[in-house]
Amino acid sequence: MMGGEELQNGQTSCFQLDFAICSQLSNDFNYCLAVRNPMRFLLTLTLFGCCSLIAAKHHHARVPIIDLRGADAIRASVREDENIISTVPELSIVRSTGPVCSYVITGADDSTTPFEARVVDKNTGEAVFRVKDSATLDCKLPEYKLQLQAIKCDEDSVKSEPVDLVITIKDTNNHAPEIEDAWYSFNVPEGRIVDNIGSLKASDKDCGHPNGEICEFQITNALKDLPFAINNQGVIRNTQSLNFTETKSYILTIVAIDCAMRKSKSSLVTIHVEEKCNQGVTNFGDRVNYAPGTGSKLIMPDVSIQVCQQENACEPKQVETTVELKAGHVTPGCTKDTVYDNETIKTCGLSSSAVQLVKDEDLTSGGVAVSKELVKDLVPDHFTFSFSMKHDGGNKEEQSNKQNILCETDDFNMNRHHFSVYIRHCKLEVVLRREAGSTADFRAAEWRWALPQVCDNQWHSYSLMFNGIDNVNVIVDGKTIGADERNPEILDDWPLHKTKQALTKLVVGACWHGRQQKMAQLFKGQLQSVFLLTGKVESEQAIKCAHTCPEQIQFTGFDELLEGQTATLSADQNVLTLKAATSEHISKMLRRVAYVNTQATPTPGHRSFEIKTEVTCQNKKIQLEASKGYIFVQQLAEPTLSISASTVLKSNHHNVKVGQAMVPDLTITISQANADGQIEDVTTKHKIDYCKMHLQPGRDMDVEYFSSPASLIASLDIEFEHDKDGILLRGEESVRGYKEVLSKVHYFNTRPESYNKRTYTVQCAMLKGRVLSNELFVTMSIESSTTSTTTTTESPDTIQFNFNSAENTLDTLEMMDRHFEPDFDQLGSSRLQNILEMDLPRPKALLSHRGYDVGQGAIAGGAVAVVVVVCVGFLLVLLVIGVLKMRDTPMPRRRRQKRQSDGGLHWDDSGMNITVNPLDDVEKNGIADDFSEDDEDDEEEDSEAESECSYRDEEDDVSEDEEEHVEVLPHCDSTQRGGASGGLEWDDEDAIATNSRSYRV
């Protein structure tokens, strides 16, 4: 009974269970196994089977499940112009819940959406989202929140649970900006700068930044130099005053640009110029460019002054205009730097005996002692003391203390003030005590001037002029300070008492206290241009001339003034006052105002000038609006130094042996841009500091040498140096001088076959090395000689050598070069020295190094180097032994005559007559040879004079005295050339000092 009821109930409950509940029967089955009643076990087993059949049936109609892969929704983003939508995660279903044939997308309010999903794989549910063909996306609806359901195939009623679908729309800047109106019209008054003439409005249908925002407005026809501008907010302004007479209206084309740089269509804007009375200064250019050295330049050539009579109800009776130049910020005080420059001294007639006590850069707050060489004696009672000063009053304590500008006191043991110029209580005071021995009178010894310039903290120039203690004047900024009963205050005193101490010390910026041996009463301010002229007094006219500002206003129309018109310049010529009856006349006068700067190198920068006009009517005065302009003094362009020559030079073995000019066609030019920007040749206006000519790589000092025109160098301010790399010419000299020297420098090589080409550079500099020229690269190709060179021996001719001038010497040397042309194939390196020495003797400073440098030979190897070193060492030993023997036993002078067996160049002494100045012997006894290497021992000089002039002899001389490291050129040593009777004699000392020898060969 119970079993039947349970079965019936079990069957009923089994059939009523859905698929989800039947899945839990596995637990019940486990429970039935635990029951001991067999009937109950069979009943449970039957029940479980029934439920399994029902579950299988229900599996056929299972709903699809959209696979979110752990996400809370499906998200996607799409541009306005795109059709295919990518989702995250990708759309699919749980595989066991398929297949699906479609998806349904619904909105929150079940409205139609512009999207659809097309199934690609039914089993996996993969589908493609896209925008419907009939739909258009717009960023104004930036986001769609939708519901998505999967529909099972063949069973439209079986749908998955809805999932959230969020689609974001991105803007694509598919709309151009739009200006509200296609045409605008505005008015602007003539002669005024208006910051807001009118404004334009624009919009963009795109969304957000950057596509939907307007970032810029642009005037597209601005290339016509229209005087208008528009800002990013669409506000139009004019950049310069408009003239109704010139243009009555302007038409602008303006576009709006969004932040993505898409432009709108153009909108036309018409701006009408309203004619109006422009009272004041018109046609006034506020910028004037001035080039140094151009003289005076008109600064207002087109200016005009207008007075609106109707608006002001004024009929002008007189018009007065002032033009003021303000250059104080560029050259403070305008005169402090130019009172005692060379140009002012010459122009104004100042005494050249005035000395600058201390250089401006040496002035310090601690005081600077004046050199005894500048001021040797005490400051007398006739002098002129000039200085520029900038001084602040400071507090009361500082005002009560002396602040010395110039002070002369005892050097030791006492603090007596013989002379001093100082500041105290904002007064300029001078103490000049009469010295011991003067008449014992109670006379003026101290002067005190109360001057407002002393403590105004501005630069001023002062000149104290003492023409005796009874005639004292002060000039401040070129103006004489008139004396009255109270200014200056004069105090009398007795002369100083006599002491044994006579030494004094003159100090600028402080006072030396000899008793304490320290500086005291320091000056607190700035000083410049401190000059003292002792023994006499400058004229007031010269001082006033020196204080005239080098840059000033000028009026160039004095000869055009009509009756009733006046033009007045201030003393410093920085303020010009013009007066006329009408505004038209005053306008013509203003057009004749000019600016001039007389300095050779003025300080670059701007100087401002201001124009103020006052109109006098019948019953009132009208002040017109002031105008301000600027004068821009330009900086002088640096000159350009250029050198040029043939960059490829062909030579051969023979030419290199006899000497090849390195830059025979050298050209040096200096150019500079003028005020108009045009290039001018200024070669003759500048000088060169140095030039260098270097071989690359460095020269082989065994076989490579240079020859220089020493006679020409001696006549110029040029020093000549040899080094391993090449030669260096230095000294401030004209371009022509350097060109002549460089073009006559020759290159020699005793073994020309060692190089097939040589490369060298030439470079020069000027203006203290600040301006460098281009680096000229020259390549000398050395080819084999096609024909052998033969040596010809000419009959002896009489050649007169006159050393009285460098030009005659140079001509003589060139003649010798033509007369003596040896065959270098038959001469060794020692003979090369004699050929090179056919120039004027060089001083020791121009001699080059003679030491061997192992590894510099182009051909010689290690074995050759060893042999050379051994031979040289052996020769040195023999030389030392010979010198020691000669010192013990004087050797009689012998005349050597060198003859070459090969028929080469030789000297024929038989036909040579030498005329000697008798004074030369006296000079030789008192003055050592300036160009000898060893001048300490007369006997040694005689011995060396007997030796032959050769390269090896010079090596021996250098080795003998290692303490003197004298650099020599590849020329014969002077001691070997002078004093000997063998061969042609060259006396360096006489050739340069007396210039009176004559030779006949």
Side-chain angles (χ1 to χ4, degrees), residues 108-278:
D109 53 354
D110 295 332
S111 59
T112 305
T113 64
F115 307 102
E116 63 181 1
R118 296 181 179 180
V119 177
V120 177
D121 190 335
K122 296 180 180 180
N123 295 324
T124 61
E126 182 181 353
V128 175
F129 274 99
R130 63 185 308 275
V131 181
K132 294 180 179 179
D133 296 337
S134 59
T136 302
L137 302 181
D138 195 338
C139 64
K140 292 181 179 179
L141 185 60
E143 187 177 73
Y144 288 87
K145 293 184 178 180
L146 310 172
Q147 297 287 321
L148 178 66
Q149 288 181 296
I151 301 177
K152 200 160 188 176
C153 294
D154 300 331
E155 298 183 35
D156 294 343
S157 59
V158 180
K159 301 180 180 179
S160 68
E161 290 292 328
V163 297
D164 293 334
L165 175 62
V166 181
I167 300 178
T168 303
I169 308 302
K170 294 182 179 180
D171 189 22
T172 58
N173 197 21
N174 56 341
H175 297 284
E178 296 180 358
I179 300 177
E180 291 184 357
D181 297 323
W183 177 80
Y184 291 85
S185 179
F186 302 107
N187 296 328
V188 59
E190 180 187 12
R192 287 178 54 191
I193 301 294
V194 181
D195 293 332
N196 190 348
I197 297 176
S199 60
L200 279 65
K201 301 294 182 182
S203 60
D204 197 320
K205 294 181 180 179
D206 290 314
C207 304
H209 183 81
N211 301 330
E213 294 183 4
I214 305 299
C215 284
E216 183 183 358
F217 287 87
Q218 188 179 81
I219 301 176
T220 57
N221 60 339
L223 295 177
K224 298 180 180 180
D225 295 331
L226 297 176
F228 299 97
I230 186 170
N231 61 17
N232 295 339
Q233 287 72 41
V235 179
I236 303 174
R237 64 181 179 90
N238 58 323
T239 57
Q240 65 185 43
S241 59
L242 307 179
N243 193 322
F244 177 82
T245 304
E246 295 178 356
T247 307
K248 296 178 174 57
S249 63
Y250 296 87
I251 297 179
L252 310 178
T253 56
I254 299 177
V255 296
I257 306 175
D258 61 23
C259 297
M261 303 308 294
R262 185 164 184 174
K263 295 182 179 181
S264 68
K265 294 182 179 180
S266 298
S267 180
L268 296 180
V269 179
T270 303
I271 298 178
H272 301 280
V273 181
E274 296 179 348
E275 186 177 9
K276 185 180 179 180
C277 177
N278 296 318

Side-chain angles (χ1 to χ4, degrees), residues 308-321:
C308 299
Q309 300 183 20
Q310 295 180 355
E311 296 180 2
N312 297 308
C314 171
E315 183 177 352
K317 297 297 182 183
Q318 179 179 295
V319 182
E320 179 179 334
T321 300

Side-chain angles (χ1 to χ4, degrees), residues 230-496:
I230 186 170
N231 61 17
N232 295 339
Q233 287 72 41
V235 179
I236 303 174
R237 64 181 179 90
N238 58 323
T239 57
Q240 65 185 43
S241 59
L242 307 179
N243 193 322
F244 177 82
T245 304
E246 295 178 356
T247 307
K248 296 178 174 57
S249 63
Y250 296 87
I251 297 179
L252 310 178
T253 56
I254 299 177
V255 296
I257 306 175
D258 61 23
C259 297
M261 303 308 294
R262 185 164 184 174
K263 295 182 179 181
S264 68
K265 294 182 179 180
S266 298
S267 180
L268 296 180
V269 179
T270 303
I271 298 178
H272 301 280
V273 181
E274 296 179 348
E275 186 177 9
K276 185 180 179 180
C277 177
N278 296 318
Q279 181 168 282
V281 182
T282 60
N283 298 330
F284 171 66
D286 59 353
R287 179 187 177 101
V288 179
N289 293 325
Y290 182 84
T294 57
S296 61
K297 182 176 182 178
L298 300 177
I299 58 177
M300 298 174 287
D302 302 318
V303 71
S304 178
I305 291 183
Q306 296 184 4
V307 179
C308 299
Q309 300 183 20
Q310 295 180 355
E311 296 180 2
N312 297 308
C314 171
E315 183 177 352
K317 297 297 182 183
Q318 179 179 295
V319 182
E320 179 179 334
T321 300
T322 59
V323 182
E324 182 179 4
L325 175 66
K326 299 179 180 180
H329 70 287
V330 178
T331 54
C334 191
T335 55
K336 73 182 184 68
D337 294 327
T338 59
V339 174
Y340 277 98
D341 60 11
N342 294 331
E343 185 176 352
T344 305
I345 291 174
K346 294 178 181 179
T347 304
C348 297
L350 292 171
S351 175
S352 58
S353 301
V355 295
Q356 186 174 9
L357 300 181
V358 180
K359 294 182 179 180
D360 293 340
E361 57 268 22
D362 295 336
L363 288 171
T364 62
S365 59
V368 181
V370 179
S371 173
K372 284 292 185 181
E373 297 180 357
L374 296 177
V375 182
K376 299 180 181 180
D377 302 321
L378 291 169
V379 176
D381 58 359
H382 286 71
F383 68 90
T384 300
F385 177 52
S386 300
F387 59 95
S388 294
M389 178 181 69
K390 181 179 181 182
H391 180 261
D392 189 7
N395 53 39
K396 292 184 178 180
E397 181 181 356
E398 292 175 343
Q399 292 183 10
S400 62
N401 297 326
K402 286 185 178 181
Q403 299 182 34
N404 277 278
I405 301 170
L406 182 64
C407 180
E408 185 172 22
T409 57
D410 292 321
D411 188 23
F412 182 73
N413 205 28
M414 289 183 292
N415 296 337
R416 296 183 306 167
H417 288 210
H418 297 259
F419 168 74
S420 63
V421 180
Y422 57 90
I423 303 296
R424 184 168 62 176
H425 298 301
C426 285
K427 292 183 179 181
L428 179 63
E429 302 186 11
V430 178
V431 171
L432 179 62
R433 299 294 301 275
R434 287 173 297 151
E435 297 298 322
S438 302
T439 305
D441 296 334
F442 194 65
R443 299 187 61 183
E446 186 172 350
W447 296 259
R448 299 174 180 174
W449 286 272
L451 303 174
Q453 296 90 342
V454 171
C455 291
D456 65 355
N457 200 28
Q458 298 293 328
W459 280 105
H460 297 284
S461 179
Y462 302 82
S463 292
L464 297 172
M465 306 172 66
F466 274 63
N467 195 10
I469 60 177
D470 296 324
N471 186 1
V472 178
N473 290 311
V474 175
I475 298 178
V476 180
D477 293 335
K479 299 179 181 178
T480 302
I481 304 300
D484 53 33
E485 296 180 357
R486 301 180 59 86
N487 197 21
E489 302 177 33
I490 302 177
L491 284 72
D492 297 339
D493 205 344
W494 298 100
L496 294 172

Side-chain angles (χ1 to χ4, degrees), residues 762-775:
V762 183
Q763 189 176 30
C764 298
M766 58 183 289
L767 296 180
K768 307 302 181 183
R770 192 173 72 251
V771 177
L772 293 175
S773 73
N774 58 303
E775 192 172 16

